[in-house]
Each structure stands twice: as C-alpha cells, then as structure tokens.
Amino acid sequence: MPKLKVNGRSHDVAAPDDAPLLYVLRNDLQLNGPKFGCGLAQCGACTVLVDGQPVRSCVTPAGSVTGQDITTLEGLGTIEAPSRLQQAFIDEQAAQCGYCLNGMIMASQALLSRNPKPSEQDVRHALDGNLCRCGVHNRIVRAVMRASREA
Amino acid sequence: MNMFVKPSRRTLLQGGSLTVAFSLIAPALAQKAAKQEGPALPGDLKLYPKLSSWLRLEEGGKVRLLAGKVEIGQGILTAFAQLAADELDVDIKRLVIVSGDTRVVPDEGVTAGSQSVQYGGVAIQHAAAELRAHLLSHAAEKLGAEAAALKVADGSITAPNGKSITYWDLVAGQQVEVEATGEVKPKAAAQRRYIGKPVPRVDIPAKMTGALIFIQDLRPEGMLHGRVVRPPAYGAKLVSLDVAAASAMPGVAKVVRDGSFIGVIAQREEQAIAAADALRRSAKWELLKGTPTSDTVYDWLKTQPAKDIVIKDVANPAASQAKDVVEAEFRRPYHMHGTIGPSTAIATMGADGSMLVQTHTQSPFETAAAIANMLGLPKEKVQCEHKQGAGCYGHNGMDDAAADAALLARAMPGRPVRIQWSRNDEHKWEPYGSAMVVRMKASLDDKGDILDWDHEIWSTSHGTRPGGKAGNLLPAQYLEKPFALPTPVNGGAPNYAADRNGIPLYEFPGVHVRTHFVEKFAARASSTRGLGAYANVMAIESFIDDLARRAKVDPVEYRLRYLKDPRAREVLQKTAEMFGWSKWQAAPGKGRGIAFARYKNLATYTAVALEAEVDKATGAIRVKRVSSASDCGDIVSHDGVINQIEGGVVQSLSWTLKEGVRFDETGVRSEDWTAYPILTFSEIPPIDIQLIDRPGTPFLGTGEASQGPTGAALANAVMDATGVRFREVPFVPSRIRAGLV
C-alpha cells in the first residue's frame, strides 16, 4: 500500500504497489490532470513530475515513487490562479481538444526548471516525445517561449 | 397562456398544441412533426423554430444555451456563445452552455462535415436575435416607449424616459414560448461586440489546469471499470474462453460473454485490465481467410463489384482532336483518426430498464437510437449525454465504446460502468479513412491546354456512423445474435463522400467524374476528416501541376487559366504572394509546391504553398515552411479558424509523410504509435495562415478545408525538388528513395 506525496500532500493509498501511478492519481486521488493516452509511455499525456523530472505515470508503478515529490497539473496552479506557464498556454490559446496538454505543460515545466531561457529548438526537442494530433504544436512552442520571456 | 406565448400564425392554426406537445424529454419529435410549412428559417432553426429550444432565461441573470452540435476540440461552443451573446446583447459570461444531451437539446444530427456554424450557429444567432426583439416588444409596453427607441446593455433594457428593466425581471421566471418568425435580421457587422472579435475559448482554462471537463474525468458514485477483449482480426469468431479463471481474479465483478463479444467488469481499473489480459490470453479464435491486406487493397478495390456513380459528365466534342492524352493513378492508404485519448464511455442502467450513456459521440441522438436497437429497448429508454473527449477528426471508436459500455452496464444494473479503450483497441478497431484509388486522364491541345478532364474513383464507404442502427456498432456485430453491418451508401450531392471534391472547381470544356463505390470493406472505415476530399484534391492538384509543367507554364498561372470564381482566384493569388512565389530561388534538393481547393466546392476556399527539402540519399523529406490563405466568408472566431486551418495543415502533412495503416489476415499491424508514427514537434515547420474576411456573407465551414491542399502542395514540392512525381501516400523515406533510383 503506497504512501504518496502528491502536490505537497501525503496520502495513504489503498492500492497495490504495482498499480500504475496514473490510475492511482486519477482514480484514488481523483486528479484529472494526468491523462491516459497509450499506457505504453509513447505519447506523454500521462506525464507528472517526480522530484522535478518528467515521468510517464502510465508505466510507473505507484509503489516505486513512495516518498518522492509528485507534482501533477493541479499542483502547478488552479483555474482561478493558473501558474505562469498555464497562463501562457491560455494567452496563446494553445489548444484544440486539450487532451495532450497535461503532458505538454508538465514536460515544459520540467524544461523551464532546468533551462529557464530555452531556444525554440530546445522546446521542440524537449517536447518531441509528446504527441499532439490536433496540430497545435507551434502554438504550444509559442506558449512555452512566452512563459520563459515573462518569467 | 402568459404574455410570452405570443400566438403566431402556426400556433393559432394548431390551437396552441405546440406548447403542449413540447416536453423536456423529446423536444425534437414534436416540433419536427409539426413543422411542415411556415416562415423560411435559417439552419437548424427550421427543425426547431421554438426559441426556448435554443435559449432559456434563467434565474441569477443567466442564459442557458442549448446546442445539438457538440464540442470536439474545434472551439464550437465558444463560437456559439459569441453568436448568442452578440445577438441577445448580453455579456458572454452570462451564458451557460449545454450541448449534446439528448434529454434537453435540439436534435441537430451529427457534428461533422464542417457544418456546425452553418447549421447550428446560424440557428442560435437567429434565435437570439428573435428573442431580443420579442423581449423588446414586451418591454416597450411595460416601459411606455417605442420598441425602436429602447436600448439594451447586457440584458438590461432602458427607455428614453429613463425607465429600465432587465430581461430576467421582464420574464419573471417564465420561458419565452414563441416560434421564430424569420423576420428578425441579425446585427450588422459594425455593431458586433463578440462575433469576429478575439474571444478566448470558454473551455481552455479548465483544460490547462486539470479541472473536470473531459468524459475521462467523470467518476459517478459507485462506478465500476469495464474492459472489452476484441478479436485479433476483423470477423474472427470466438471458439473458446476461460471465463472461470478470469472471474476469480482480484476485484472482478463479472465476466460478460455474448457470442464473440467479451467484456469484464472490475472494482479497480488495473484489475479490469489484468482480467481482460487474462481473458485475451485464454481466448481461442477462428480467423477469416483470404481477406485483403494493406498491400493488396488497391488491386482489391479495382476488382470488386461496385456501384458506378456518375456525378459529372460534360463532353467536349473537340476532345477528339486532342494532340495528347495523359493519365496518372493515385493511391491513398487507410488513415487513422488517431485520437490521443482512446474512446471512453460510461453507461448506467436504471431500475426502470432505462439506459443513460455518457459519451463523446458526434451523434448523440443517432447513437442512442442505435444502442436501443442493439439492446432491444424502446428508443426513449436510451439517452446519451455528450461529454467532451479528445479530438476525434471524424468517426472513431466513440460510438463503439458507448455500445461496449451499454452492454456491460446491462449486466450490472444500477452501477455506472466505465469503458476506456486501450491504445491497441483504438489503433486496431477504429473505423479508418478509406483507402482510395484515383485515376486521372486529360486530353490536351497542341499548346498543352486542357480539352477534356476525366476523374475516376475507387473507394469503400466513408460513412458507417450509427445512424440509429445497431449493425453500425462494433460490439453488436460480434454478439451471439449478431447485427449485420448495413449495406453502406455513398453520400450524394451537394456534400458527396468518396467523391467529395471530385468535381474540379476549374472550368474545363469537358469534365467527367465517376466513382466505383465498393460496398464491401477491406478494413473498417468511416468518416475521417475530409472524407474523399483528401485523395481527390491530392489527385487533381498533382495532376494539374504536371499538366502545367508539361505546358511549360507556371503552375499558379496555369491554374488561373481555368479558375473563374473570383474568390478562388484571390485565395490562390494571396497564397502565392504570402509564400513569395514569384521571387522564389531554386536550389538543389529544394522544391516549392502550391495547391488549392474549395472544400466540398461549397465551403471554405483554401490554398497552401510550401517549401520542402528532399535528401536524395535517404529519401527523407523536410517541410521548411508553409503559407496558406483561406476565405471562409463571415468569420465568427478568427483565431479559431486559424487554429483549425493550421491543425489541418499539420495533420495532412503527417498523413502524407508518414501514415498508412498496415493490416493482413492476422489483423491490423499498426497497433501503437511506434508502428503508426505521426509528425512530432521537431518535424513541424513554421506555418503562416491568413484569412480573407467577408463580414455579412454566409459562414463557410472550415474544419476540413486544408487537408487536401496541404497534401497536394507537398506532393508538388517533392516533384519540384526531385523531378519525380510520387502518387502513393505516404511519402516515407523508403518509397522516395526507391522512386529516385
């Protein structure tokens, strides 16, 4: 039964250790940010930060991240008070369906933490493993560049 | 009758029966049945002339907007809000939008074909304008002033004498139960506050912060998790299954087997997945033999019995004098919709035997009817509630997942059962965009001008949406008493389907367009962004480019010889100018291409020009930059249209460069994103989109307009860079390399 620290709060979760972190976050902790996209670590929709690093929660056993700092999209900001990065995505209207955005924002957050002033190339490289099917890529890159500029 | 039931000619004739017939559960039927004549009303207002079908004034100063069209990531709810807020003169924040809930919204059929603003949007726009006028006429009495002298600001009406009243005080909790008259015109463009202005999407903040907005995020009390085990290949029959072992696994509430349909319900999601995996391992199947494969499908298409459909046949007697006849054949593989979020649904069977299905379907009413048909329930016992899913780009697994959920929920009455397809399920079982063969033939005179144009299409169906029939639902085809897939039909004029955009917008002296419509299927297929338009525009625009080259005429100039529609000419010329067509410098390995189409020959005009580099050693193509102009008539949301056109450019580049579903007798081999890759960030070029705005002209659908021109522009750029014409998609490096040898 994993003890998880999510968005600064500790939880004793009544789930098996080998349950994928994604399902524990979504079903046990009722978080909506991380999304199921492939279950194969191929698309990035389920990305969360574990000690600041982007991790594919769909293939991460919940028991393997006990005691580490897990941050989900909800941990960055709220609809009333979005983070600077989330606000930049809103300002650029960087979405169509919005399903992949959790992964886009979390992977960008990790990038900006280690490289606050990335080049456009750096952003594209950091997001290359995150799939978007609506074709919003260039808007997403602009949103990340805006967040970096406005930081 | 209260003061808001204003007797129209219609209600007088029918003794007010409309008001009585209107019920919350079936608003549709009553009005549809009654509406045989009456004023000419625009869009879906014809189907639902009652203003309260669309707009309701609610306590707390809110306006409830009821829409049958649904949000599929195209930003349509924001566009509807802009239209309603402008015409009703209220702040956009007052709108509460409900869409796609069959219990309360008008039945507007399917959200597809780039028609949501044309049909749903204009209905909302006119209903709002009529509601405003109706409220003003009553306010005039109350305030002792002429209606024309009243001013409205954010739902508050003020008379010249200083007296004022709000809409909500005026109706005092009643609804305005009157029909549209067709006599109220929407505002002039200059008086608009929201339409055509930058308005942020209403759904985006929730999506950026993890608020509850997607169907995937719903967790009704007592919900259980279901999974379905699909056969390994189309048409496979289940021979044996170990139900007992899976039933004994942790958390398993029930295993459902009905013929070749297998499902499992468990307490926890990972338990349902584990049990489904165990069932899959234990299942023995009998496969069909001799089915076509992704390699043989083009020959298969051309040799199947087919319905021959001629949609244009204008002869040019002078064609017999042709100096030259040119032919070319184009191939388009099956393309996936490839949603990022696999199909999901939640179904709940009530104690009274009714079924509520929460779904991201594009056709809530028709899907509800199809599920009722599958379950043997009366139609009114099944309701669908639309919730947003991930982008679908057409008819994907959405309705099949809804049917899966309903089948499992029937086995577990009183408990909501949630189905979420796996990546493998979605990749293998969604109905793809049909493979097509297009053969072009032109007769030319001695100057290379076109005397006669011939366009011949081979395709399976592009439309197997539920349409109220169980046979269109995947699980229903595999039940013990299976429902047969209905014989598909090709969509006719004016939208067409396999032959969509088959008729060229160019004016040639002789034109012949015909389709060989194959009623059988090589792979599951249904509506995919643009239907046949992608392949037809690819073929037309590649072919005309080659004819221009043959005539030694610039491809823009050559097209303009035959393009008479001034709006089409302007879009093409503007695109060429944006790209810098006339001053472009050739260089080894570099090419430029341009292409044009008016979607469906009745919606948005779009041209695309792009520059590509081809590495002749590896066959790799890199798109360097894209320029595109569109004319979509009156624009509700400028940014929304740009987003749609740009998204279409990216998706079409992905289709053209990378995508084609692989399948053989053992099943679909494109099982995940590694086997079916799509374009990624580092492969996406700068894209410049510009719009020609025409306020006050009709809205033209835009969501699918850039699919065809983009693919064709790329094909033309590759030809320009290499001197070789590639006619089979996708343009993967191995194919390009082989073609350049």
Side-chain angles (χ1 to χ4, degrees):
Chain A
M1 203 178 275
K3 255 188 193 326
L4 296 179
K5 200 171 148 205
V6 182
N7 300 330
R9 288 180 55 192
S10 293
H11 303 268
D12 285 313
V13 183
D17 276 345
D18 61 355
L21 178 60
L22 175 65
Y23 300 133
V24 173
L25 294 173
R26 291 192 55 85
N27 300 333
D28 296 275
L29 303 185
Q30 314 244 315
L31 293 166
N32 301 320
K35 293 284 190 288
F36 175 82
C38 65
L40 304 162
Q42 292 178 346
C43 76
C46 66
T47 304
V48 299
L49 303 181
V50 177
D51 290 340
Q53 296 301 311
V55 162
R56 304 279 159 111
S57 67
C58 71
V59 293
T60 304
S64 71
V65 290
T66 298
Q68 291 178 274
D69 273 317
I70 299 164
T71 309
T72 72
L73 188 63
E74 289 89 341
L76 301 186
T78 61
I79 196 162
E80 295 79 21
S83 72
R84 183 176 288 117
L85 181 59
Q86 287 167 321
Q87 187 60 51
F89 271 72
I90 295 168
D91 292 341
E92 290 291 340
Q93 294 284 292
Q96 275 184 32
C97 80
Y99 195 84
C100 71
L101 286 172
N102 167 73
M104 299 298 173
I105 294 175
M106 299 315 284
S108 304
Q109 179 66 41
L111 167 71
L112 292 176
S113 300
R114 66 173 188 273
N115 178 6
K117 295 288 165 201
S119 66
E120 193 187 310
Q121 203 75 334
D122 294 334
V123 176
R124 288 185 187 273
H125 183 73
L127 296 178
D128 233 8
N130 287 70
L131 300 181
C132 162
R133 186 58 162 169
C134 295
V136 186
H137 305 72
N138 290 349
R139 285 178 182 237
I140 291 170
V141 172
R142 285 204 295 276
V144 180
M145 297 303 284
R146 177 197 276 255
S148 161
R149 212 167 47 239
E150 292 177 352
Chain B
M1 249 185 218
N2 65 53
M3 71 176 197
F4 292 105
V5 185
K6 186 177 166 186
S8 67
R9 192 173 69 85
R10 173 141 310 281
T11 46
L12 285 174
L13 283 172
Q14 302 189 346
S17 63
L18 276 177
T19 315
V20 178
F22 182 86
S23 79
L24 197 61
I25 296 300
L29 305 170
Q31 292 184 55
K32 266 190 174 168
K35 200 69 202 168
Q36 295 301 325
E37 53 180 73
L41 299 174
D44 290 340
L45 198 56
K46 270 195 283 289
L47 306 175
Y48 292 86
K50 282 186 76 164
L51 304 185
S52 60
S53 300
W54 303 94
L55 293 159
R56 302 173 80 85
L57 294 168
E58 295 202 339
E59 279 177 33
K62 295 288 179 195
V63 180
R64 185 164 295 251
L65 166 57
L66 302 165
K69 299 287 184 189
V70 298
E71 181 65 55
I72 51 174
Q74 81 284 45
I76 200 65
L77 299 186
T78 307
F80 288 168
Q82 287 171 269
L83 289 161
D86 250 346
E87 297 302 339
L88 200 50
D89 265 329
V90 296
D91 192 284
I92 201 162
K93 291 199 178 70
R94 292 191 183 272
L95 289 161
V96 178
I97 306 170
V98 177
S99 75
D101 185 333
T102 57
R103 296 167 296 184
V104 291
V105 304
D107 178 359
E108 294 188 80
V110 186
T111 301
S114 304
Q115 295 171 337
S116 297
V117 175
Q118 273 175 290
Y119 289 85
V122 297
I124 289 162
Q125 182 186 29
H126 284 80
E130 296 239 5
L131 178 56
R132 179 183 181 277
H134 187 75
L135 291 165
L136 287 188
S137 72
H138 285 287
E141 272 172 49
K142 201 137 190 157
L143 301 178
E146 287 294 313
L150 300 174
K151 299 247 182 301
V152 190
D154 191 17
S156 190
I157 306 166
T158 308
N161 60 18
K163 287 191 195 166
S164 79
I165 188 165
T166 70
Y167 290 168
W168 296 270
D169 288 340
L170 192 60
V171 301
Q174 305 275 347
Q175 287 309 323
V176 178
E177 302 289 358
V178 299
E179 290 191 13
T181 61
E183 284 157 19
V184 184
K185 296 282 164 274
K187 284 182 179 170
Q191 292 168 303
R192 292 168 172 178
R193 176 178 169 200
Y194 295 112
I195 301 169
K197 303 293 187 299
V199 173
R201 285 251 306 263
V202 294
D203 53 331
I204 283 187
K207 289 174 175 177
M208 298 299 179
T209 53
L212 192 160
I213 188 161
F214 288 106
I215 185 160
Q216 284 85 0
D217 305 334
L218 297 180
R219 302 173 190 91
E221 187 70 32
M223 185 178 82
L224 297 170
H225 293 273
R227 285 296 183 275
V228 167
V229 178
R230 301 246 100 93
Y234 297 127
K237 281 208 158 42
L238 182 60
V239 178
S240 67
L241 181 74
D242 187 349
V243 171
S247 301
M249 288 175 70
V252 172
K254 193 164 228 166
V255 173
V256 176
R257 180 188 170 177
D258 185 339
S260 294
F261 173 83
I262 309 168
V264 58
I265 306 165
Q267 302 293 333
R268 293 184 58 87
E269 191 161 15
E270 67 275 7
Q271 292 169 334
I273 293 169
D277 286 344
L279 286 164
R280 188 175 296 107
R281 284 191 299 272
S282 82
K284 300 274 183 292
W285 300 88
E286 189 185 306
L287 300 187
L288 293 178
K289 292 269 177 259
T291 52
T293 71
S294 45
D295 289 327
T296 63
V297 69
Y298 302 109
D299 291 333
W300 180 87
L301 277 171
K302 286 165 65 179
T303 50
Q304 290 306 299
K307 276 217 160 96
D308 293 340
I309 304 162
V310 175
I311 59 168
K312 184 100 179 173
D313 195 19
V314 179
N316 175 14
S320 58
Q321 314 294 314
K323 288 285 173 293
D324 219 348
V325 176
V326 187
E327 279 190 52
E329 190 174 295
F330 297 83
R331 293 170 163 191
R332 176 248 165 114
Y334 287 93
H335 279 143
M336 270 179 208
H337 299 85
T339 183
I340 297 294
S343 296
T344 300
I346 301 171
T348 312
M349 184 155 224
D352 60 349
S354 64
M355 182 73 75
L356 174 67
V357 186
Q358 294 167 303
T359 162
H360 51 105
T361 181
Q362 290 175 280
S363 56
F365 288 88
E366 295 176 10
T367 299
I371 290 173
N373 180 213
M374 175 180 76
L375 300 177
L377 289 174
K379 220 167 151 183
E380 66 277 7
K381 285 280 190 194
V382 181
Q383 301 290 340
C384 281
E385 182 186 6
H386 181 266
K387 292 286 172 189
Q388 292 191 44
C392 58
Y393 328 105
H395 177 210
N396 65 6
M398 51 179 74
D399 298 301
D400 305 315
D404 284 342
L407 284 168
L408 297 191
R410 179 170 66 173
M412 194 63 68
R415 299 292 296 270
V417 179
R418 177 183 190 268
I419 278 284
Q420 182 172 272
W421 279 17
S422 67
R423 175 48 51 196
N424 183 289
D425 291 336
E426 189 76 36
H427 262 52
K428 288 182 70 169
W429 288 95
E430 65 140 293
Y432 311 123
S434 178
M436 287 170 67
V437 175
V438 181
R439 188 186 290 156
M440 308 297 303
K441 192 164 89 175
S443 305
L444 307 170
D445 68 13
D446 52 0
K447 293 193 292 297
D449 274 320
I450 297 162
L451 298 171
D452 197 69
W453 176 271
D454 190 288
H455 185 132
E456 196 174 2
I457 300 159
W458 287 264
S459 179
T460 67
S461 176
H462 291 257
T464 58
R465 288 188 188 273
K469 296 185 180 124
N472 285 318
L473 300 170
L474 178 63
Q477 298 163 6
Y478 290 85
L479 299 175
E480 181 68 44
K481 286 187 189 146
F483 289 84
L485 179 69
T487 303
V489 289
N490 192 36
N495 292 317
Y496 301 106
D499 37 9
R500 181 167 293 178
N501 276 91
I503 299 172
L505 207 65
Y506 302 107
E507 294 180 22
F508 304 127
V511 184
H512 317 271
V513 183
R514 64 189 179 284
T515 303
H516 307 286
F517 182 76
V518 177
E519 292 176 340
K520 283 203 269 179
F521 288 88
R524 275 197 100 202
S526 193
S527 308
T528 303
R529 203 172 189 179
L531 280 56
Y534 170 76
N536 290 321
V537 173
M538 276 290 277
I540 291 171
E541 290 294 302
S542 294
F543 195 56
I544 199 167
D545 224 65
D546 285 348
L547 298 181
R549 204 170 293 273
R550 224 181 156 84
K552 299 190 170 49
V553 178
D554 175 83
V556 176
E557 193 191 319
Y558 193 76
R559 282 174 172 82
L560 290 173
R561 284 184 185 176
Y562 304 102
L563 206 49
K564 307 297 180 200
D565 180 336
R567 290 171 74 172
R569 294 173 67 89
E570 190 177 340
V571 160
L572 182 64
Q573 286 166 314
K574 187 177 170 70
T575 300
E577 188 190 306
M578 284 164 63
F579 179 83
W581 189 263
S582 55
K583 52 181 192 287
W584 190 79
Q585 297 290 321
K590 211 168 87 166
R592 61 176 176 168
I594 194 162
F596 161 82
R598 181 181 190 192
Y599 185 53
K600 299 198 273 193
N601 290 341
L602 52 75
T604 289
Y605 299 82
T606 297
V608 175
L610 58 80
E611 183 177 299
E613 271 178 15
V614 183
D615 182 330
K616 291 183 182 169
T618 63
I621 298 168
R622 190 161 183 89
V623 180
K624 304 296 285 182
R625 63 189 176 92
V626 180
S627 306
S628 171
S630 290
D631 171 354
C632 51
D634 200 353
I635 298 171
V636 179
S637 168
H638 197 266
D639 190 61
V641 170
I642 288 181
N643 204 349
Q644 285 295 306
I645 301 275
E646 178 168 334
V649 167
V650 171
Q651 199 171 79
S652 181
L653 288 178
S654 187
W655 288 356
T656 312
L657 285 169
K658 297 194 154 187
E659 301 180 30
V661 178
R662 308 283 306 159
F663 59 96
D664 59 28
E665 278 185 13
T666 66
V668 172
R669 311 305 296 265
S670 303
E671 293 182 314
D672 59 25
W673 292 120
T674 306
Y676 189 90
I678 61 173
L679 219 56
T680 63
F681 275 90
S682 57
E683 299 167 307
I684 288 161
I687 302 168
D688 179 23
I689 308 286
Q690 292 186 30
L691 306 178
I692 299 168
D693 195 4
R694 299 191 188 278
T697 62
F699 304 119
L700 301 178
T702 188
E704 300 156 287
S706 52
Q707 305 305 113
T710 303
L714 177 58
N716 293 339
V718 172
M719 168 70 184
D720 192 44
T722 63
V724 178
R725 170 60 65 183
F726 290 90
R727 298 189 177 93
E728 184 171 343
V729 172
F731 298 165
V732 288
S734 57
R735 176 166 288 143
I736 301 299
R737 205 169 55 235
L740 294 179
V741 175

